[in-house]
């Protein structure tokens, strides 16, 4: 499908990533939404489409996504949608929706509280319901399998994993929203015991509560709403088999394919925010996106290892890139989001400070 | 290279072209005790146990019975019978078996081939802290295991005793449990040298359904406004909140006015009347389901308390005959004696735990409220 209508991110908002937030998810959302409306000066009814990403299993409440609408403001009635996924995919839906031409402005919201439940148990439910979920296989164990394949293949070492963690925590010192931030040495990290060998606990993301939201607008409307919009040059997402045994866990072919179709390689990448929730994933993603280590700043926010408000984490990557474009720090950036075990499904979004039409892609 | 800190607040955006009202307050939770900032990592383990009495725990259970189909059914029937099967796919054997060729999506002909019980470990990880859902309560390995005769690996658990016993390329063998149900949990793996010979009696009928109980535990602190609500109920008061934006009174309050999109605080708490009118009701005929406790038809009502703008819902009424129930019926709460009021079951999610603090709702005998005035207050 040709994306004829240029779409841009015009405003972003996020809550800090909390270890535990002792109030409801709608409140986290309401904060972000009110912030966006205040900053853009938009009235609630000027938003033509609202779409959210969240996970009822994570909340432990059926139809939690409906109560989340309280935070977005659903009165008078609004035109809205929901994905039971990270809100980066809600952005994908908003981006497509704006292509139809009848809606100019959309609100995208992501939120999640991981603290009340047990994410290791919740997200084992993403796996094959017959062959894997009854074993309770959890994301850290799956990430441990992926880490093992990388070490066995000689592609990465445990020291490489620790370096990712050290970089993340150091970068997070400059991010007021990050949860885990410190100067730490690689040797100190390597001295810690294994959790899902060859991974250690610090190779895993923290448990976080938080929300994030952004406003996208099309064409001239975007230019009206922001001085320097972050234009979507391309957005694509691809998925691999849900059977880990059928995949090459040392690489991310779906990320590489999505990157190609999103136009990552159409120009230089100044900044990349990748959803590496486990440290080995950052190495796999750098390679899959074809990032130039020397020229591209990767995860200056600290990335998910510094704060992981699940279901908002991917949207936060888009937000962090967009903000740097707003500020003039970056001309072109890529945001990546992932869903499912071991980077099973990947979304790539390329943002630029220049308004261009993205080329038609197969 | 260290970026200079450049953000004064946590909600940045593009420079707006239009001015708007000042940015609203930070999330209330940020100012309330109980929000922690971790300097150190926190692994993906169970949520930190909140101290103190103001916490709620709930278990969400979803008992699934999943039908199996021809391929997964054959696989699970095999497990029940002490065998592992894969699916022929051209010159390969896929285990676990699939209905379609994973490369071309072409349907497979359904030929099943026995594989294993021995196999070779590809990737593995040592699970140092098992969850309740794992196959073993003690540390064990998850691994990708290519069974003898198969060309693709399956994910399963190895009870190896120690990570020192694990290596990529090692040999393992399947062991079947005495109690098998036609599920992936009917077997596990051990180092091949430790495998015992087993004499398994196959079952009679093919496995066509497999059971999977999903059971998730939620444990969290009561939100501040819920704590105040619970304490109010203990005192014999119903606490709502009046919106500073619209003046509407919400009960039980959620800590915000969802119609105006503003948060509320203790300053917005109000004591509301413990009398009102039935705004809606339903008579529920019990049906059988997992966890059902009811046997006789029962009433659930919504009651609009005087002076409020939101009905309380799900009120259990056992003392009013169904034939007397009507929209507009005026009721007065008769509270339990103070010592008998129990709010321990209150959580952050649902309504008011009314039965545990209010013994019954008594018709007052006053003239009914006109039902037309109540039609917007069913929920």
């Amino acid at each position: 499908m040709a994306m004829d209508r240029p779409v841009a991110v015009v405003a972003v908002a996020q809550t800090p990533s909390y270890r535990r937030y002792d109030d409801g998810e709608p409140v986290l959302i309401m904060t972000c939404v009110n912030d966006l409306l205040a900053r853009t000066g938009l009235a609630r009814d000027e938003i033509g489409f609202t779409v959210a990403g969240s996970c009822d299993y994570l909340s432990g409440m059926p139809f939690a996504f409906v109560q989340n609408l309280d935070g977005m403001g659903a009165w008078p009635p609004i035109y809205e949608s929901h994905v039971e996924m990270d809100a980066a995919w809600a952005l994908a839906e908003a981006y497509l929706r704006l292509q139809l031409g009848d809606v100019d402005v959309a609100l995208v919201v992501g939120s999640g509280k991981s603290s009340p439940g047990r994410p290791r148990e919740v997200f084992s439910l993403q796996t094959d319901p017959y062959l894997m979920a009854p074993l309770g296989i959890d994301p850290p164990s799956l990430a441990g399998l992926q880490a093992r394949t990388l070490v066995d293949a000689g592609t990465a070492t445990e020291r490489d994993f620790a370096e990712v963690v050290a970089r993340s925590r150091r970068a997070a010192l400059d991010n007021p929203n990050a949860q885990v931030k410190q100067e730490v040495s690689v040797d100190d990290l390597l001295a810690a015991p294994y959790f899902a060998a060859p991974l250690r606990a610090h190779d895993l993301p923290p448990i976080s509560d938080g929300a994030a939201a952004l406003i996208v607008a099309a064409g001239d409307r975007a230019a009206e709403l922001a001085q320097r919009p972050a234009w979507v040059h391309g957005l694509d997402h691809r998925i691999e088999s849900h059977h880990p045994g059928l995949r090459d866990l040392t690489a991310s072919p779906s990320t590489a394919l999505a990157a190609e179709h999103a136009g990552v390689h159409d120009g230089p990448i100044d900044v990349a925010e990748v959803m590496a929730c486990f440290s080995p994933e950052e190495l796999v993603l750098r390679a899959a996106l074809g990032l130039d280590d020397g020229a591209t700043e990767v995860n200056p926010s600290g990335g998910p290892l510094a704060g992981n408000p699940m279901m908002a984490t991917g949207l936060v990557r888009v937000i962090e890139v967009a903000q740097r474009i707003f500020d003039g720090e970056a001309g072109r950036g890529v945001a990546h989001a992932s869903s499912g075990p071991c980077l099973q499904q990947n979304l790539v979004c390329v943002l630029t400070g220049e308004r261009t039409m993205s080329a038609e892609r197969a | 290279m260290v970026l200079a800190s450049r953000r004064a607040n946590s909600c940045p955006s593009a420079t707006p072209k239009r001015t708007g009202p000042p940015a609203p307050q930070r999330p209330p939770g940020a100012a309330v005790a109980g929000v922690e900032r971790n300097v150190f990592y926190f692994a993906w383990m169970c949520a930190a146990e909140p101290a103190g009495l103001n916490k709620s725990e709930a278990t969400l259970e979803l008992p699934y019975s999943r039908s199996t189909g021809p391929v997964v059914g054959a696989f699970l029937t095999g497990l029940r019978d002490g065998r592992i099967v894969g699916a022929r796919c051209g010159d390969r054997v896929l285990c676990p078996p699939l209905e379609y060729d994973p490369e071309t999506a072409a349907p497979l002909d359904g030929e099943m081939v026995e594989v294993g019980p021995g196999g070779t470990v590809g990737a593995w990880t040592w699970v140092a802290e098992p969850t309740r859902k794992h196959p073993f309560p003690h540390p064990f390995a998850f691994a990708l295991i290519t069974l003898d005769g198969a060309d693709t690996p399956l994910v399963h658990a190895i009870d190896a005793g120690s990570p020192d016993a694990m290596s990529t390329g090692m040999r393992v063998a399947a062991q079947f449990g005495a109690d098998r149900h036609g599920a992936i949990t009917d077997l596990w793996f051990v180092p091949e040298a430790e495998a015992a010979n087993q004499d398994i009696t196959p079952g009679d009928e093919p496995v066509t359904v497999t059971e999977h109980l999903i059971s998730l535990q939620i444990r969290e602190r009561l939100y501040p406004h819920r704590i105040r609500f619970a304490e109010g109920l203990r005192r014999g008061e119903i606490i709502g909140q009046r919106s500073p934006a619209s003046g509407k009174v919400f009960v039980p309050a959620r800590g915000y006015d969802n119609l105006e999109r503003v948060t509320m605080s203790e300053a917005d708490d109000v004591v509301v009347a413990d009398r009102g009118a039935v705004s809606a009701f339903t008579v529920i005929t019990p049906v059988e389901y997992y966890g059902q406790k009811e046997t006789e038809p029962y009433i659930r009502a919504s009651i609009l308390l005087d002076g409020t703008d939101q009905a309380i819902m799900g009120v259990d009424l056992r003392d009013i005959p169904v034939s007397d129930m009507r929209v507009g019926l005026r009721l007065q709460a008769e509270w339990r004696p103070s010592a008998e009021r129990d709010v321990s079951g209150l959580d952050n999610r649902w309504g008011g735990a009314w039965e545990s603090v209010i013994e019954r709702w008594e018709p007052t005998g006053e003239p009914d409220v006109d039902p037309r005035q109540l039609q917007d207050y069913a929920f």
Side-chain angles (χ1 to χ4, degrees):
Chain A
M1 172 180 164
M3 301 300 165
D4 291 327
R5 243 184 146 203
V7 167
V9 179
V10 297
V12 299
Q14 56 177 304
T15 70
S17 184
Y18 296 108
R19 168 62 186 90
R20 194 185 71 242
Y21 184 73
D22 286 334
D23 209 323
E25 198 169 321
V27 179
L28 291 166
I29 293 169
M30 192 179 286
T31 306
C32 292
V33 170
N34 285 347
D35 217 318
L36 290 174
L37 295 176
R39 286 168 187 283
T40 57
L42 284 166
R44 183 65 181 92
D45 62 7
E46 291 182 90
I47 307 273
F49 179 56
T50 300
V51 52
S54 68
C55 175
D56 279 2
Y57 270 130
L58 186 60
S59 308
M61 183 166 75
F63 302 108
F65 75 97
V66 174
Q67 183 160 21
N68 281 350
L69 286 170
D70 282 353
M72 291 171 239
W75 188 263
I78 60 173
Y79 175 43
E80 58 85 34
S81 180
H82 173 262
V83 292
E84 190 80 3
M85 294 194 73
D86 188 288
W89 275 268
L91 172 62
E93 181 168 334
Y95 175 61
L96 288 178
R97 186 61 186 82
L98 293 183
Q99 298 300 319
L100 298 182
D102 60 325
V103 172
D104 291 336
V105 184
L107 168 66
V108 179
V109 175
S111 64
K113 289 179 61 179
S114 294
S115 67
R118 302 173 184 201
R120 285 179 80 189
E121 297 181 9
V122 172
F123 287 95
S124 83
L125 300 176
Q126 275 186 333
T127 59
D128 189 291
Y130 297 95
L131 303 173
M132 290 173 64
L135 297 172
I137 185 154
D138 52 311
S141 298
L142 288 156
L145 290 177
Q146 181 167 44
R148 177 77 55 196
T149 65
L150 289 163
V151 169
D152 286 348
T155 309
T157 64
E158 292 178 32
R159 177 164 289 270
D160 292 331
F161 304 156
E163 282 172 359
V164 169
V165 176
R167 273 198 305 272
S168 158
R169 295 187 179 194
R170 186 176 313 120
L173 288 165
D174 288 319
N175 181 356
N177 295 317
Q179 181 181 341
V180 184
K181 46 179 90 172
Q182 56 171 174
E183 279 289 349
V184 62
S185 82
V186 169
D187 289 324
D188 283 349
L189 292 174
L190 288 173
Y194 289 122
F195 183 81
L199 295 180
R200 297 168 169 80
H202 57 243
D203 293 309
L204 281 51
I207 293 192
S208 310
D209 297 345
L214 57 77
I215 291 181
V216 278
D220 291 340
R221 196 80 179 94
E224 283 169 22
L225 288 171
Q227 274 181 2
R228 189 174 154 84
W231 296 96
V232 178
H233 174 76
L235 191 157
D236 194 279
H237 60 105
R238 305 282 159 159
I239 190 169
E240 301 175 32
S241 172
H242 73 278
H243 291 288
L246 296 177
R247 297 174 51 204
D248 174 9
L249 298 179
T250 66
S252 187
S254 53
T255 299
L257 192 58
E260 189 190 314
H261 286 268
V264 167
H265 312 300
D266 293 346
I269 297 289
D270 302 320
V271 62
E273 283 275 336
V274 302
M275 187 164 156
C277 295
F278 299 90
S279 55
E281 291 177 348
E282 187 184 298
L283 306 170
V284 172
L285 291 167
R286 281 175 182 258
L289 291 167
L291 298 179
D292 177 345
D293 286 348
T296 302
E297 199 179 359
V298 176
N299 286 1
S301 68
L305 290 170
N308 185 29
M310 291 201 77
M311 301 298 123
T313 303
L315 194 69
V316 170
R317 308 278 72 74
V318 175
I319 287 171
E320 293 288 343
V321 172
Q323 182 61 49
R324 285 165 175 79
I325 290 175
F326 296 159
D327 293 344
E329 286 178 21
R332 203 163 177 278
V334 59
H336 158 272
S338 162
S339 178
C342 305
L343 304 174
Q344 181 196 351
Q345 182 174 14
N346 295 282
L347 181 150
V348 175
C349 176
V350 178
L351 297 173
T352 86
E354 282 187 31
R355 175 174 174 169
T356 55
M357 301 288 226
S358 61
E360 176 165 358
R361 292 191 175 81
Chain B
M1 178 187 73
V2 174
L3 295 174
S5 182
R6 54 186 170 69
R7 279 181 276 200
N9 61 44
S10 56
C11 292
S13 75
T15 312
K17 285 206 142 174
R18 296 158 51 167
T19 58
Q25 65 201 85
R26 291 267 65 77
V32 170
V35 172
E36 298 167 303
R37 295 293 202 104
N38 253 18
V39 175
F40 301 104
Y41 64 81
F42 196 94
W44 272 41
M45 296 181 249
C46 304
E49 179 139 2
L53 300 171
N54 289 321
K55 63 174 161 48
S56 76
E57 295 186 25
T59 302
L60 182 71
E61 290 204 325
L62 299 163
Y64 274 94
S65 298
R66 304 184 192 274
S67 58
T68 57
V71 171
V72 171
F75 179 74
L76 296 179
T77 303
L79 296 185
R80 196 268 321 270
D81 295 345
R83 307 159 55 232
I84 308 171
V85 300
R88 164 112 16 233
C89 176
D91 55 6
R92 297 196 299 158
V93 173
L94 312 176
C95 183
L98 302 179
E99 291 192 43
Y100 298 93
D101 184 324
E103 308 294 325
T104 67
L108 302 178
D109 63 14
E111 180 193 345
M112 295 300 202
V113 176
E114 185 161 353
V115 298
T120 308
V121 168
W124 61 276
T125 188
W126 190 254
V127 181
E129 301 191 22
T131 72
R132 304 171 310 148
K133 307 297 189 182
H134 282 153
F136 306 106
H138 51 265
F140 67 96
F142 271 123
L144 285 163
I145 302 166
T146 304
L147 288 154
D148 296 337
D151 297 286
T152 59
L154 100 145
V155 174
H156 220 293
I158 304 172
D159 195 9
S162 154
D164 298 334
M166 292 296 306
S167 62
T168 300
M170 69 185 279
R171 296 281 309 168
V172 293
Q175 301 278 261
F176 292 85
D179 203 20
R180 298 180 307 284
H181 303 279
I184 194 69
T185 44
D186 286 352
L187 80 165
W188 65 93
F189 288 82
V190 297
E192 194 168 47
E194 295 169 24
N197 281 332
Q198 293 182 298
D199 199 5
I200 313 259
T201 308
D204 298 318
E205 297 299 320
V207 172
T208 56
V209 174
T210 187
E211 309 287 335
H212 181 204
L213 174 66
I214 291 175
S215 177
L216 297 174
Q217 285 186 346
I218 308 295
R219 182 190 280 153
E220 58 187 1
R221 292 193 184 175
L222 284 184
Y223 304 150
H225 62 271
R226 291 296 275 182
I227 293 172
R228 298 194 302 271
F229 177 69
E231 289 169 349
L233 291 180
R234 263 207 289 244
R235 286 194 304 272
E237 290 180 331
I238 301 175
I239 307 286
Q241 286 187 314
R242 173 176 287 118
S243 167
S246 68
K248 286 195 161 82
V249 177
F250 295 82
V251 57
R254 294 186 203 170
Y256 52 75
D257 174 351
N258 59 317
L259 301 176
E260 300 295 328
R261 222 177 49 250
V262 298
T263 54
M264 294 200 272
S265 69
E266 188 165 4
D268 302 306
D269 285 1
V270 291
V271 179
V272 304
D274 59 357
R275 62 199 325 275
V278 173
S279 61
F281 72 97
T282 185
V283 182
I284 300 174
T285 305
V287 293
E288 185 106 10
Y289 59 80
Y290 178 82
Q292 171 65 286
K293 298 188 181 85
E294 302 289 344
T295 54
E296 297 300 311
Y298 58 99
I299 297 170
R300 283 280 187 273
S302 297
I303 302 172
L304 185 69
L305 300 172
D306 292 346
T308 68
D309 297 284
Q310 177 191 315
I312 60 174
M313 290 175 53
V315 182
D316 184 75
L317 298 177
R318 305 270 168 168
D319 301 290
I320 302 177
V322 172
S323 53
D324 289 351
M325 279 299 296
R326 55 197 185 267
V327 172
L329 175 66
R330 288 193 191 265
L331 300 175
Q332 164 72 52
E334 299 296 328
W335 293 82
R336 294 188 185 281
S338 170
E340 288 175 32
R341 293 175 205 147
D342 174 20
V343 294
S344 62
L346 204 68
D347 61 22
N348 287 320
R349 289 142 195 283
W350 310 114
W354 305 109
E355 309 86 75
S356 56
V357 296
I358 289 169
E359 189 165 337
R360 68 184 183 285
W361 292 82
E362 193 68 48
T364 67
E366 295 160 301
D368 284 4
V369 172
D370 182 347
R372 285 169 299 181
Q373 291 177 18
L374 295 163
Q375 63 190 17
D376 288 342
Y377 297 96
F379 313 108

